[in-house]
């Protein structure tokens, strides 16, 4: 208990992150704790964090790659390479979460080297595009079938588009391929590509931004803003095999997303799931972060739902296993009960506060 309280007091940040295994290359969700000199990760059993770390990543001499685009279907990765050349791949829930983790880890890596910290800040705040940069060359590289930007089918306001990419995906790709050193610089480059009609906005979110007078505001570094190559054309598709979930319920605006622990309906075991809360229409979907395909494994309408916190003194009826705490419950209008754990009382309150107005 003394060791655990010491770790908590020294913790720089913590949270759930999927981690790729070293021997079997599958993905497992672990609870990560960032300390000044190492990153600890814990196994979750029965909805509770085990007392001893499953492993540790020593940060001395470690290098970080973010964005890391080595796995095309997992665009929100952070790669850590230790000084013994061991690679760790961590996956985040959103670009904002990824960048926050990367910033904190980078700070911990360079904490003992103030000169390097100053250089990092200087690079982050500097603005200098590559000399004699060729937009044609960038587009040519973007179109490369193996190393180019990944084109996906995306959904916006009930319309499904194929061969598109998001604004944040393009920014990630430009940085990863050394065409830019900061997100601000990459946004400027992307704006130039759009101004020269190499790429074009698709859907209301990105099209609306082009009305701004300032060029730097016309391209959105956003995971909900869609773009495509200008010559691709605006091709909508509607494939029945892809519509396992009704298009309308996945077309709402994302209000909140994050990792939570959910109790299963049949086996009553606890699994970490990535939850996505949408409005207009109001739905809560959950995804299995260990799977390759990015489609919900469950979800429900929030209309007519009841959501409430469950007190931690004793295990409430309906809850099985040795749970960590910070529980809340959602009861659908069909009287289906969902039991969910947050990582803290604050996070639980934030989720309840976000869900309530949508019920």
């Amino acid at each position: 208990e003394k060791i655990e309280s010491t770790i908590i007091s020294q913790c720089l940040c913590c949270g759930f992150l999927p981690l790729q295994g070293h021997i079997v290359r599958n993905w497992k969700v672990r609870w990560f704790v960032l300390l000044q000199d190492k990153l600890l990760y814990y196994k979750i059993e029965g909805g509770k964090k085990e007392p001893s770390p499953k492993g540790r990543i020593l940060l001395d001499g470690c290098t970080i790659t973010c964005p890391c685009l080595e796995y095309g279907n997992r665009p929100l990765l952070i790669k850590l390479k230790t000084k013994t050349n061991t690679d760790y791949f961590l996956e985040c829930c959103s670009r904002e979460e990824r960048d926050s983790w990367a910033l904190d880890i980078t700070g911990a890596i360079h904490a003992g080297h103030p000169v390097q910290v100053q250089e990092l800040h200087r690079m982050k705040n500097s603005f200098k595009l590559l000399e004699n940069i060729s937009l044609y060359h960038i587009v040519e590289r973007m179109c490369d079938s193996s190393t180019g930007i990944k084109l996906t089918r995306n959904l916006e306001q009930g319309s499904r588009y194929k061969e598109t990419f998001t604004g944040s995906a393009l920014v990630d790709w430009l940085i990863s391929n050394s065409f830019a050193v900061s997100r601000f610089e990459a946004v400027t480059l992307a704006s130039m590509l759009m101004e020269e009609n190499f790429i074009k906005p698709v859907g209301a979110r990105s099209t609306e931004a082009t009305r701004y007078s300032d060029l730097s505001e016309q391209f959105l570094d956003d995971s909900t803003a869609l773009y495509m190559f200008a010559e691709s054309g605006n091709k909508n598709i509607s494939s029945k095999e892809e519509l396992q979930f009704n298009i309308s319920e996945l077309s709402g605006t994302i209000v909140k997303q994050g990792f939570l622990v959910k109790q299963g309906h049949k086996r009553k075991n606890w699994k970490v799931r990535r939850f996505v809360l949408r409005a207009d229409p109001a739905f809560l979907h959950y995804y299995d972060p260990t799977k390759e395909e990015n489609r919900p494994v469950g979800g429900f309408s929030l209309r007519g739902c009841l959501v409430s916190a469950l007190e931690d003194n004793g295990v409430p009826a309906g809850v099985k296993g040795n749970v960590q705490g910070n529980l809340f419950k959602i009861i659908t209008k069909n009287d289906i009960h969902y039991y969910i754990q947050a990582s803290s009382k604050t996070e639980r309150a934030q989720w309840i506060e976000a869900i309530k107005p949508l019920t």
Side-chain angles (χ1 to χ4, degrees), residues 202-307:
V202 180
R205 180 86 174 87
S206 53
T207 303
E208 180 69 26
T210 60
R211 298 177 184 176
Y212 289 112
S213 57
D214 189 345
L215 178 65
S216 65
E217 295 178 343
Q218 291 182 14
F219 180 88
L220 300 177
D221 178 9
D222 191 298
S223 59
T224 63
L226 302 182
Y227 298 89
M228 65 177 7
F229 291 114
E231 70 273 13
S232 295
N234 189 357
K235 302 171 186 175
N236 286 15
I237 62 166
S238 179
S239 168
K240 286 184 179 178
E241 66 180 1
E242 289 192 10
L243 305 184
Q244 293 181 1
F245 283 85
N246 189 307
I247 267 189
S248 65
E249 63 181 83
L250 292 170
S251 65
T253 304
I254 294 178
V255 175
K256 186 173 177 62
Q257 57 184 322
F259 294 113
L260 297 167
V261 190
K262 174 188 165 294
Q263 182 178 260
H265 287 296
K266 294 177 181 177
R267 294 179 59 194
K268 303 298 182 185
N269 56 347
W270 292 87
K271 297 288 186 182
V272 178
R273 295 289 181 249
R274 177 170 69 90
F275 279 80
V276 178
L277 176 64
R278 293 180 172 93
D280 300 320
F283 274 83
L284 185 62
H285 292 97
Y286 48 94
Y287 300 71
D288 185 344
T290 66
K291 302 297 183 187
E292 294 297 324
E293 64 272 7
N294 185 30
R295 63 182 64 178
V297 294
F300 51 91
S301 169
L302 289 171
R303 294 300 176 202
C305 284
L306 297 173
V307 57

Side-chain angles (χ1 to χ4, degrees), residues 26-287:
N26 58 351
W27 295 82
K28 298 287 187 185
V29 180
R30 299 291 182 241
W31 176 260
F32 279 82
V33 176
L34 176 62
L35 304 179
Q36 197 66 59
D37 58 344
K38 57 183 165 286
L39 191 57
L40 304 177
Y41 53 94
Y42 296 78
K43 189 176 179 181
I44 304 296
E45 278 296 331
K48 189 172 184 179
K49 174 172 72 75
E50 291 189 339
S52 300
K54 176 79 175 173
R56 67 192 70 221
I57 304 170
L58 299 178
L59 297 178
D60 181 40
C62 205
T63 58
I64 182 170
T65 304
C66 179
C68 171
L69 304 183
E70 292 188 28
Y71 292 85
N73 54 347
R74 292 181 180 269
L76 299 173
L77 289 180
I78 295 171
K79 178 183 178 181
L80 295 175
K81 183 184 280 290
T82 67
K83 66 179 180 182
T84 57
N85 286 324
T86 303
D87 291 341
Y88 291 89
F89 292 93
L90 319 177
E91 186 177 32
C92 297
C93 191
S94 64
R95 182 180 63 77
E96 292 76 16
E97 184 191 51
R98 181 199 64 188
D99 293 349
S100 176
W101 268 102
L103 188 64
D104 288 339
I105 293 171
T106 302
I109 290 172
H110 297 293
H113 309 279
V115 175
Q116 285 181 285
V117 173
Q118 288 176 6
E119 178 65 15
L120 281 167
H121 283 291
R122 188 193 66 75
M123 281 183 64
K124 185 180 177 183
N125 298 322
S126 68
F127 178 68
K128 183 184 178 184
L129 288 174
L130 296 172
E131 292 183 12
N132 303 318
I133 194 161
S134 165
L135 297 182
Y136 288 99
H137 174 60
I138 293 175
V139 174
E140 195 174 56
R141 287 278 300 276
M142 285 174 68
C143 293
D144 188 283
S145 59
S146 57
T147 60
I149 191 162
K150 184 177 173 62
L151 300 177
T152 58
R153 296 174 176 184
N154 280 293
L155 185 73
E156 192 194 75
Q157 295 183 342
S159 298
R160 189 178 283 270
Y161 302 94
K162 70 175 182 178
E163 296 184 340
T164 60
F165 47 87
T166 66
S168 57
L170 178 53
V171 169
D172 285 350
W173 186 88
L174 289 169
I175 295 172
S176 179
N177 286 273
S178 303
F179 288 115
V181 296
S182 68
R183 301 197 79 83
F184 175 66
E185 191 171 307
V187 165
T188 304
L189 242 184
S191 300
M192 292 165 64
L193 289 170
M194 194 164 63
E195 189 180 37
E196 296 298 323
N197 203 34
F198 287 107
I199 63 173
K200 67 177 184 179
V202 180
R205 180 86 174 87
S206 53
T207 303
E208 180 69 26
T210 60
R211 298 177 184 176
Y212 289 112
S213 57
D214 189 345
L215 178 65
S216 65
E217 295 178 343
Q218 291 182 14
F219 180 88
L220 300 177
D221 178 9
D222 191 298
S223 59
T224 63
L226 302 182
Y227 298 89
M228 65 177 7
F229 291 114
E231 70 273 13
S232 295
N234 189 357
K235 302 171 186 175
N236 286 15
I237 62 166
S238 179
S239 168
K240 286 184 179 178
E241 66 180 1
E242 289 192 10
L243 305 184
Q244 293 181 1
F245 283 85
N246 189 307
I247 267 189
S248 65
E249 63 181 83
L250 292 170
S251 65
T253 304
I254 294 178
V255 175
K256 186 173 177 62
Q257 57 184 322
F259 294 113
L260 297 167
V261 190
K262 174 188 165 294
Q263 182 178 260
H265 287 296
K266 294 177 181 177
R267 294 179 59 194
K268 303 298 182 185
N269 56 347
W270 292 87
K271 297 288 186 182
V272 178
R273 295 289 181 249
R274 177 170 69 90
F275 279 80
V276 178
L277 176 64
R278 293 180 172 93
D280 300 320
F283 274 83
L284 185 62
H285 292 97
Y286 48 94
Y287 300 71

